[in-house]
Amino acid sequence: MTLMTIGEFAERTRLSPKALRLYDRLGLVVPAHVDAASAYRRYAEDQVEPARLVGLLRRLDMPLAVIASVLRASPAGQARIISAYWAQVEAVTADRRALVGYLQERLTGAATTMYQIELRSLPRRNLLTICRHVTMDGTDAFFSDAFSRLRAAAPGLEGIAGCPYLIFYGEVSQDSDGPLELCRPVAPETAEGAVAGLAGVEFRTERPHEEVYIRLAAADMSWPALMPACDALVRWTAERQRDPAGPLRQVLIADRRTAAPDTLVCDLTIPLR
């Protein structure tokens, strides 16, 4: 088998020797042979296309672990991994765009988003809850596990009073872990014994109260997109001298995972004293 020097390989792949030495250290493009005495690297012909691919993927700022998975996959699998990665990049970019817009509006005082803010009364309710410290990456897994456990524990309530809701006791982000609590209102006859033997599940009774809310579509459910609505609720309570009875909530009126972008899926609420 004829091997190429690093200079020849660099010319064939259009990658610099410096980049090739870096990719070797990262385990992405490992030479076919390294001379024990001189440490000269030699590369094989079948490494040319994978090396070019690594160079292109690095230009996308693709993480090393994802690049490694691309190299192990079939051509069709490589295309799927790249597509999934780029969809994630675009989603993050959209969130950041929304955050930039929010910051610009907040700093200049030029808020343009208008909301329909409403008030409603809720009855006394028995709740089953699960509370956990979780960062943004873990929210979907937390909700899926917690909701299935709470749903199996007791019968629920009908109507808006029976919708499950999330309570944010602190910011949930890449750096902050809440905590986050999922609450499921259950039938009035449900007693504290319903949670016996259910690890991490709590029972409590919530007093009758009012809450102010804004109904939002699935497209507005990312955290940066929610911020103007949060500010609008806080302003509403301050202007009317109403005291919050607890932290911000998301009342889940539909399944966001299967909803179209314009489907109403959530009531962002603040409970009131």
Side-chain angles (χ1 to χ4, degrees), residues 140-230:
D140 287 345
F142 162 72
F143 178 77
S144 179
D145 171 68
F147 184 66
S148 63
R149 294 176 63 199
L150 296 181
R151 183 169 52 186
L157 288 177
E158 295 294 328
I160 193 68
C163 290
Y165 59 90
L166 293 163
I167 302 179
F168 293 82
Y169 292 102
E171 180 177 306
V172 177
S173 65
Q174 297 302 106
D175 301 325
S176 181
D177 61 356
L180 180 63
E181 184 178 33
L182 177 64
C183 303
R184 180 174 180 252
V186 291
E189 62 272 16
T190 304
E192 191 168 357
V195 302
L198 299 179
V201 180
E202 300 290 336
F203 174 94
R204 73 168 180 268
T205 298
E206 183 181 63
R207 294 179 178 179
H209 66 279
E210 289 185 312
E211 65 181 12
V212 58
Y213 70 96
I214 295 171
R215 186 153 291 181
L216 298 170
D220 300 319
M221 284 293 291
S222 67
W223 185 241
L226 286 173
M227 290 180 177
C230 296

Side-chain angles (χ1 to χ4, degrees), residues 99-181:
L99 179 55
V100 168
Y102 167 75
L103 290 171
Q104 289 174 329
E105 289 185 359
R106 184 172 180 178
L107 292 170
T108 61
T112 58
T113 307
M114 301 296 292
Y115 295 100
Q116 181 176 343
I117 300 178
E118 299 187 61
L119 189 67
R120 65 182 171 218
S121 297
L122 292 170
R124 178 184 182 277
R125 297 182 292 180
N126 290 337
L127 306 174
L128 301 185
T129 76
I130 295 177
C131 188
R132 192 173 301 165
H133 287 275
V134 60
T135 58
M136 184 64 73
D137 289 341
T139 53
D140 287 345
F142 162 72
F143 178 77
S144 179
D145 171 68
F147 184 66
S148 63
R149 294 176 63 199
L150 296 181
R151 183 169 52 186
L157 288 177
E158 295 294 328
I160 193 68
C163 290
Y165 59 90
L166 293 163
I167 302 179
F168 293 82
Y169 292 102
E171 180 177 306
V172 177
S173 65
Q174 297 302 106
D175 301 325
S176 181
D177 61 356
L180 180 63
E181 184 178 33

Side-chain angles (χ1 to χ4, degrees), residues 4-133:
M4 291 172 271
T5 66
I6 190 171
E8 294 170 329
F9 193 66
E11 185 175 349
R12 289 288 305 280
T13 59
R14 298 188 290 276
L15 297 169
S16 70
K18 179 181 178 180
L20 291 171
R21 285 190 286 269
L22 173 63
Y23 297 163
D24 181 13
R25 290 198 301 271
L26 297 176
L28 297 175
V29 184
V30 179
H33 176 74
V34 178
D35 186 272
S38 64
Y40 286 167
R41 296 170 169 84
R42 297 289 190 274
Y43 296 85
E45 178 68 30
D46 62 4
Q47 292 184 283
V48 171
E49 287 306 316
R52 287 177 176 170
L53 179 59
V54 169
L56 294 172
L57 296 177
R58 290 290 285 171
R59 291 172 71 91
L60 295 175
D61 288 330
M62 184 177 283
L64 301 180
V66 181
I67 293 177
S69 68
V70 170
L71 296 177
R72 291 193 299 266
S74 66
Q78 290 176 335
R80 286 194 296 270
I81 295 170
I82 294 170
S83 178
Y85 167 73
W86 194 247
Q88 184 181 33
V89 170
E90 290 185 321
V92 171
T93 301
D95 282 351
R96 290 176 176 174
R97 186 181 299 113
L99 179 55
V100 168
Y102 167 75
L103 290 171
Q104 289 174 329
E105 289 185 359
R106 184 172 180 178
L107 292 170
T108 61
T112 58
T113 307
M114 301 296 292
Y115 295 100
Q116 181 176 343
I117 300 178
E118 299 187 61
L119 189 67
R120 65 182 171 218
S121 297
L122 292 170
R124 178 184 182 277
R125 297 182 292 180
N126 290 337
L127 306 174
L128 301 185
T129 76
I130 295 177
C131 188
R132 192 173 301 165
H133 287 275

